[in-house]
Amino acid sequence: MSSDNPQNLPEPELPQAVPVKRHRWAPSLIWLIPVVAALIGGWLAVHAILSRGPTITISFQNAEGIEAGKTRIKYKDVEIGEVTSVKLSPNRQAIVATAQLSKEAADYLAEDSRFWVVRPRISGGSVSGLGTVLSGSYIGMDIGKSAVRKNEFVGLETPPIINADLPGQAFYLRADNLGSLNTGSPVYFRRVPVGQVVGYELDPKGGFVRVGIFVNAPYDRFVTANSRFWHASGVDVSISANGLNVSTQSLAAIALGGIAFETPLADNGGVPLSDRNFILHDTREKALQNPDREMQPFRLRFHQSLRGLSVGAPVDFRGITIGEVTAIGVEYMRERKDFDMTVDIRIYPSRLDSLSHGGRVSGKLSPQQLVANGVRAQLRSGNLITGQLYVALDFFRDAPPAQLVVRRGVAELPTIPGDLDELQRVLQRIVKKIDAVPFDSIGKETEASLKAMRQTLDSVKKLSEGANNETLPQLNKTLQQLQQTLDATQKTMKADSPLQQDVRSAAQEVKETARSFRALADYLDRHPEALVRGKEAQP
């Protein structure tokens, strides 16, 4: 017996454990929700990974309008990606935007694809990007056509004028200066806007400006190898016999500048694909001139004032412009101790060939033959109001013999004085001859002769009144004196006397001058437009 039960009482019986069979646990329906959510999340994660497109970087000069996680990338207003980060470039000269594109946008990443920030802009008289005022800026995309793929791009600072998928053709014009052209300036064909300027750049050597234009379809078929382009900016004003003529393409061309082109109707050929370059002329008149295939330089020497002659003045042959003045100078001649006024010109012989119905004129006549036949250069007035001069080449059969001289490798054509200069010399000779006539001595001699005759007549009258035997001898003496006076007067008035010859010469010169001015007055009466346009050459 143990010490724990001193009274030896009987121990109570303990209840016997009865095993109970456990029931199997059944999941509750509420657990299906997180399971389904996990499955959906996993599926979305896998789909996002599988549908993720390429990652690209775009460099811009600044980050205006670009925010990571907010700025979208769109092509034709369809979202194809999103900017994920924006940071400075390693050289700190630009910003680099990293963007994640969708999977279907992988084929859009051609080497010539373009990106730009779409924001409100005012350029060239047009407003764009107004829709981004409320929605915010986004990056626009234009898909290129190159087969080469790339993931790093340099963004454009201004939106492109022409999209890559726009139907039409691009052409390039070479101009001496840009004028008032700008990106977006219109291009006209028969005053119909058919395209616009897409860009321009200066030649690396600074010799010319290269202007790029785009002509929309179907108007691009009117551009052929023989098309002529010219500046259509501003207003062309001309004065002719029909009055004042003002011409312009449109008000837009006045404000923004523009380009116009024209193609001859007989030209049905197309532009070679290997050459889409043209010359951009200053005016329509220059553009429509026949192309100059060859050029011959000459030098002219004048001994008169060149006031009114300027570089670019035309060289005229009987009303046809065959060249232009290229330089004006002066050269001191030591042998004569005088100055020669030099005028450098260039002549385009092909302009005469184009007017001879296919005949080769410039190949049949050499400059030596022309000079031997009387061709001379002369300064003529092109406009009496402005005083402008031009160089005229013509045949002067009575001109002194001359030869074609070559100095320092430049051929020199002989010249003759101009019309106005020759008229001035004739007037000066007439004035000198008239001034040489002794009108004072002639008047004094005539006055003395008339006075002597009057005195003689008075004496005859007195003698006749009191005639007698004493006065008759005196009367005879007086009559003899009168006869001598009449003989002297008759001698003076003879046709071969020096006085009569001088008077007749002066009268003839005055008569010729009057006839010249009468002819000039008659011509101006019949052709008043000559005061502005100059005298037209006779055919």
Side-chain angles (χ1 to χ4, degrees):
M1 297 182 66
S2 63
S3 59
D4 294 336
N5 190 4
Q7 298 179 2
N8 295 323
L9 295 176
E11 294 181 356
E13 295 182 359
L14 298 174
Q16 192 169 0
V18 179
V20 179
K21 189 176 180 180
R22 298 183 60 182
H23 297 283
R24 298 183 64 183
W25 177 81
S28 177
L29 293 178
I30 195 172
W31 290 100
L32 292 176
I33 296 176
V35 172
V36 172
L39 292 176
I40 294 175
W43 180 82
L44 292 176
V46 173
H47 181 270
I49 294 174
L50 295 178
S51 62
R52 174 180 292 182
T55 301
I56 64 172
T57 58
I58 310 172
S59 300
F60 294 98
Q61 291 185 0
N62 57 72
E64 181 183 0
I66 303 176
E67 295 184 32
K70 293 184 179 180
T71 303
R72 303 290 188 264
I73 298 179
K74 296 183 179 181
Y75 173 66
K76 292 187 175 181
D77 291 335
V78 177
E79 184 176 334
I80 60 173
E82 182 184 48
V83 175
T84 57
S85 66
V86 179
K87 60 181 180 180
L88 287 173
S89 61
N91 59 1
R92 294 176 292 180
Q93 299 297 320
I95 64 100
V96 179
T98 303
Q100 185 69 49
L101 301 184
S102 59
K103 186 176 182 179
E104 60 270 14
D107 297 334
Y108 302 164
L109 303 180
E111 185 181 22
D112 54 348
S113 295
R114 298 176 293 181
F115 296 86
W116 66 94
V117 179
V118 179
R119 64 172 74 96
R121 299 175 186 271
I122 300 177
S123 175
S126 61
V127 180
S128 62
L130 290 180
T132 60
V133 174
L134 299 178
S135 62
S137 302
Y138 63 91
I139 296 178
M141 179 182 182
D142 185 30
I143 300 177
K145 298 181 179 180
S146 175
V148 181
R149 304 297 174 183
K150 63 182 296 187
N151 292 332
E152 296 180 357
F153 301 89
V154 177
L156 304 177
E157 297 304 317
T158 58
I161 301 298
I162 304 298
N163 294 330
D165 56 353
L166 185 66
Q169 297 186 63
F171 303 95
Y172 302 95
L173 310 179
R174 175 172 174 169
D176 293 334
N177 57 78
L178 185 63
S180 57
L181 297 177
N182 202 346
T183 302
S185 297
V187 177
Y188 296 94
F189 177 72
R190 301 188 185 279
R191 297 183 183 272
V192 176
V194 297
Q196 50 193 324
V197 176
V198 297
Y200 54 86
E201 62 180 358
L202 188 64
D203 175 60
K205 296 182 179 180
F208 60 91
V209 178
R210 191 166 184 259
V211 181
I213 66 172
F214 187 87
V215 180
N216 303 321
Y219 307 108
D220 56 338
R221 60 189 176 91
F222 297 122
V223 182
T224 68
N226 199 29
S227 296
R228 315 291 177 84
F229 293 80
W230 67 88
H231 281 280
S233 310
V235 180
D236 295 332
V237 181
S238 61
I239 302 176
S240 63
N242 296 324
L244 181 65
N245 183 26
V246 180
S247 176
T248 183
Q249 293 293 329
S250 67
L251 294 178
I254 298 176
L256 307 177
I259 295 175
F261 73 92
E262 187 171 325
T263 301
L265 296 177
D267 186 6
N268 297 322
V271 178
L273 295 178
S274 60
D275 187 8
R276 296 175 182 267
N277 298 292
F278 297 88
I279 299 297
L280 181 60
H281 300 273
D282 294 333
T283 62
R284 183 176 181 271
E285 288 73 16
K286 292 184 178 180
L288 297 183
Q289 288 179 354
N290 292 322
D292 300 315
R293 297 183 295 272
E294 56 182 337
M295 182 270 293
Q296 291 184 358
F298 292 98
R299 176 166 293 176
L300 311 176
R301 292 180 179 272
F302 293 98
H303 304 286
Q304 63 184 91
S305 174
L306 300 183
R307 184 176 182 86
L309 185 67
S310 59
V311 175
V315 177
D316 179 275
F317 176 73
R318 296 183 178 179
I320 301 175
T321 301
I322 61 173
E324 58 190 1
V325 175
T326 58
I328 299 175
V330 60
E331 184 176 347
Y332 180 71
M333 308 302 295
R334 295 183 179 274
E335 61 274 11
R336 293 188 290 104
K337 297 183 180 180
D338 195 1
F339 289 91
D340 282 350
M341 310 306 296
T342 61
V343 177
D344 292 341
I345 64 174
R346 56 187 174 194
I347 297 177
Y348 307 102
S350 58
R351 297 186 181 181
L352 290 177
D353 298 338
S354 61
L355 299 175
S356 60
H357 304 286
R360 178 72 174 173
V361 175
S362 60
K364 299 177 182 178
L365 299 175
S366 63
Q368 292 83 354
Q369 294 175 342
L370 294 175
V371 172
N373 292 334
V375 169
R376 301 290 186 270
Q378 185 183 52
L379 290 180
R380 294 180 181 176
S381 175
N383 194 308
L384 294 178
I385 296 178
T386 61
Q388 294 178 345
L389 300 178
Y390 68 94
V391 178
L393 296 181
D394 206 340
F395 288 90
F396 297 89
R397 305 298 182 182
D398 56 347
Q403 295 181 353
L404 188 70
V405 180
V406 179
R407 297 183 183 179
R408 302 184 184 92
V410 180
E412 296 184 358
L413 292 176
T415 62
I416 62 173
D419 292 340
L420 294 179
D421 189 64
E422 186 66 22
L423 178 60
Q424 183 179 1
R425 294 182 181 180
V426 171
L427 293 177
Q428 288 178 353
R429 288 199 300 266
I430 294 174
V431 170
K432 289 181 179 179
K433 290 183 178 180
I434 294 177
D435 187 62
V437 177
F439 289 105
D440 294 339
S441 60
I442 292 174
K444 292 179 180 180
E445 292 179 0
T446 305
E447 183 180 0
S449 299
L450 293 177
K451 185 177 180 180
M453 291 178 62
R454 188 179 301 110
Q455 293 176 356
T456 303
L457 291 175
D458 291 341
S459 300
V460 172
K461 184 178 179 181
K462 292 179 180 180
L463 291 173
S464 62
E465 291 177 353
N468 51 33
N469 294 330
E470 296 180 359
T471 57
L472 285 176
Q474 186 177 0
L475 177 60
N476 292 331
K477 185 178 180 180
T478 302
L479 290 176
Q480 291 177 1
Q481 294 177 355
L482 177 60
Q483 183 64 37
Q484 293 176 0
T485 303
L486 291 175
D487 292 341
T489 303
Q490 185 178 4
K491 184 178 180 181
T492 304
M493 301 301 294
K494 282 184 178 181
D496 57 348
S497 64
L499 175 62
Q500 290 296 327
Q501 292 179 359
D502 292 340
V503 172
R504 279 196 301 271
S505 177
Q508 184 66 23
E509 295 286 351
V510 174
K511 184 178 179 180
E512 291 178 358
T513 304
R515 185 184 298 109
S516 300
F517 280 104
R518 188 181 302 110
L520 177 61
D522 292 340
Y523 181 82
L524 294 179
D525 183 63
R526 288 181 283 107
H527 303 280
E529 69 276 10
L531 289 173
V532 178
R533 302 173 57 184
K535 184 178 179 180
E536 297 182 354
Q538 296 298 328

